[in-house]
């Protein structure tokens, strides 16, 4: 059997990103260092956190406790929704570095475009991320939950093309229009909720394919994502599942299997999370 080795993908700025990472949304701060420590011990080298998750400090703690070099672990965080105004974004970014106790981040994202807030202005926010990249405190910058219209505005008004766009994607919501824009503009798609928070795992097609290839439903779905070329970072606090989700680079799905999973797409009805065109949540 082939070795299970996580490949790096080159971002449009030349920096490498491991194609599989570990997501920490909805992991309580008290459980985060243990979960991230388990992931790092298994071999994950990419962690996806956010200011909104309230667990950056514990992610930083787990990185230091791992004994690994900081430079060997790719860490992403995201600007929280209350901080789109340039001065607020500067302060919030500095707070992330303080929480993590890092002197740089590998990737920093605008978490949501919030087109109905801040007079629809995410461009001035983006220009502040360009500033962080220029001064070396973040290696790569990107966006999350940006729809095609939002990306088109950045293309027209900003200097740097986002390295990634982190969007909801899984077999029930392929998000192909945004993925297709990303692909044709050299923006790497990161698929959030890659197993739809577990909701796709008992789908009869997924179960059937898992039996055919002798893998688990989660492994089959995660493998579908990586064969589409996207980045994934499934979340789990269960050590056995953290290990299971890591084992996706030593088998392949054939074209028929890929097509059967793609055909599960329910369009907008398959979306599990908020619609980025209307989402306006700002933490109090
Ligand atoms: N940019 C954005 O707006 C968003 C980004 N994200 C990012 O994407 C990451 C992943 O998405 P997330 O929403 O957490 O959902 P996922 O699709 O990763 O699913 C996580 C859920 O699935 C369960 N699970 C994990 N692995 C398995 C398995 N092998 N078998 C069965 N069940 C399993 C987990 O349970 P348990 O923990 O109990 O094992 C948890 O309930 C987040 O952690 C975050 O980093 C997510 C949402 C929005
Ligand atoms: O997990 C994230 O990154 C999110 O943005 C979500 O928490 C999102 O805000 C949501 O699901 C709100 O219901």
């Amino acid at each position: 059997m082939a070795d299970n080795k996580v490949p790096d993908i080159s971002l449009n700025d030349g920096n490498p990103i491991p194609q599989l990472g570990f997501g920490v949304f909805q992991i309580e701060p008290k459980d985060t260092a243990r979960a991230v420590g388990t992931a790092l011990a298994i071999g994950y080298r990419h962690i996806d956190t956010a200011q909104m998750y309230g667990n950056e400090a514990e992610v930083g703690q787990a990185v230091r406790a791992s004994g690994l070099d900081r430079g060997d672990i790719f860490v992403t965080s995201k600007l929280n929704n209350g901080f789109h105004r340039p001065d607020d974004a500067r302060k919030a970014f500095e707070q992330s570095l303080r929480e993590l106790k890092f002197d740089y981040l590998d990737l920093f994202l605008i978490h949501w475009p919030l087109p109905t807030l801040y007079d629809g202005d995410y461009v001035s926010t983006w220009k502040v991320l360009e500033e962080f990249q220029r001064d070396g405190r973040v290696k790569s910058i990107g966006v999350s939950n940006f729809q095609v219209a939002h990306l088109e505005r950045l293309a027209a008004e900003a200097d740097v093309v986002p390295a990634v766009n982190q969007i909801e994607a899984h077999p029930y919501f392929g998000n192909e229009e945004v993925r297709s824009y990303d692909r044709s503009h050299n923006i790497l798609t990161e698929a959030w909720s890659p197993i739809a928070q577990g909701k796709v795992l008992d789908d009869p097609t997924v179960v059937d394919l898992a039996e055919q290839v002798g893998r688990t439903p989660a492994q089959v779905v995660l493998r579908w994502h990586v064969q589409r070329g996207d980045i994934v970072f499934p979340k789990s606090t269960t050590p056995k599942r953290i290990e299971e989700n890591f084992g996706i680079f030593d088998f392949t799905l054939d074209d028929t299997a890929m097509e059967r999973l793609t055909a599960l797409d329910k369009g907008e009805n398959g979306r599990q999370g908020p619609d980025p065109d209307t989402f306006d949540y700002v933490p109090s």
Side-chain angles (χ1 to χ4, degrees):
M1 192 177 286
D3 281 348
N4 184 65
K5 194 168 177 329
V6 179
D8 280 341
I9 299 188
S10 263
L11 297 169
N12 62 16
D13 56 17
N15 291 323
I17 180 170
Q19 193 175 14
L20 173 69
F22 184 69
V24 298
F25 172 45
Q26 288 177 325
I27 305 188
E28 293 291 327
K30 68 175 174 46
D31 300 325
T32 302
R34 186 180 41 82
V36 173
T38 301
L40 293 173
I42 287 167
Y44 290 79
R45 293 292 179 268
H46 169 180
I47 311 295
D48 185 85
T49 184
Q51 295 169 355
M52 191 187 283
Y53 305 165
N55 54 18
E56 288 173 304
E58 291 76 13
V59 168
Q61 198 184 315
V63 167
R64 280 182 296 285
S66 70
L68 294 161
D69 287 343
R70 165 72 186 92
D72 290 336
I73 307 173
F74 189 102
V75 180
T76 301
S77 193
K78 318 185 190 87
L79 180 72
N80 211 344
N81 286 352
F83 304 118
H84 271 215
R85 292 203 176 82
D87 274 344
D88 294 340
R90 290 185 188 100
K91 286 185 201 131
F93 176 72
E94 280 158 18
Q95 182 61 21
S96 270
L97 292 181
R98 271 197 297 276
E99 292 281 328
L100 286 151
K101 296 200 174 77
F102 288 172
D103 51 14
Y104 73 93
L105 269 167
D106 295 279
L107 178 63
F108 193 63
L109 312 180
I110 300 181
H111 203 146
W112 289 87
L114 305 178
T116 63
L117 298 179
Y118 298 102
D119 300 320
D121 176 23
Y122 40 79
V123 177
S124 62
T125 318
W126 177 250
K127 290 188 180 201
V128 177
L129 268 64
E130 294 182 346
E131 218 176 89
F132 303 152
Q133 188 178 35
R134 271 196 305 276
D135 71 26
R137 288 182 298 164
V138 61
K139 292 191 177 178
S140 300
I141 53 175
V143 294
S144 176
N145 299 301
F146 273 45
Q147 305 277 61
V148 169
H150 311 138
L151 295 167
E152 281 174 341
R153 253 192 80 197
L154 285 192
E157 298 178 44
D159 294 327
V160 177
V161 177
V164 308
N165 186 18
Q166 183 176 129
I167 55 173
E168 180 176 347
H170 44 73
Y172 287 162
F173 183 56
N175 213 341
E176 195 46 44
E177 189 193 344
V178 180
R179 284 184 75 250
S180 163
Y181 182 97
D182 289 350
R183 202 163 42 244
S184 57
H185 292 80
N186 206 12
I187 299 169
L188 192 60
T189 297
E190 299 190 324
W192 63 251
S193 293
I195 55 173
Q197 300 204 326
K199 291 185 190 72
V200 290
L201 301 184
D202 53 7
D203 184 282
T205 299
V206 174
V207 172
D208 181 48
L209 288 170
E211 278 165 12
Q212 265 184 39
V213 298
R215 294 291 175 141
T216 68
Q219 287 175 324
V220 162
V221 172
L222 294 169
R223 181 70 209 174
W224 171 79
H225 284 285
V226 301
Q227 284 187 212
R228 281 162 38 114
D230 292 353
I231 301 278
V232 279
F233 23 78
K235 170 264 175 187
S236 177
T237 46
T238 314
K240 204 165 160 291
R241 289 174 173 174
I242 300 174
E243 184 155 18
E244 173 187 330
N245 296 344
F246 192 71
I248 59 169
F249 293 101
D250 55 359
F251 74 104
T252 52
L253 297 174
D254 64 18
D255 290 348
T256 309
M258 289 295 292
E259 281 156 21
R260 285 182 66 196
L261 289 165
T262 304
L264 297 178
D265 195 354
K266 303 174 199 247
E268 282 295 322
N269 291 333
R271 207 189 262 287
Q272 309 289 316
D275 179 346
D277 283 322
T278 52
F279 189 58
D280 60 2
Y281 166 72
V282 172
S284 48

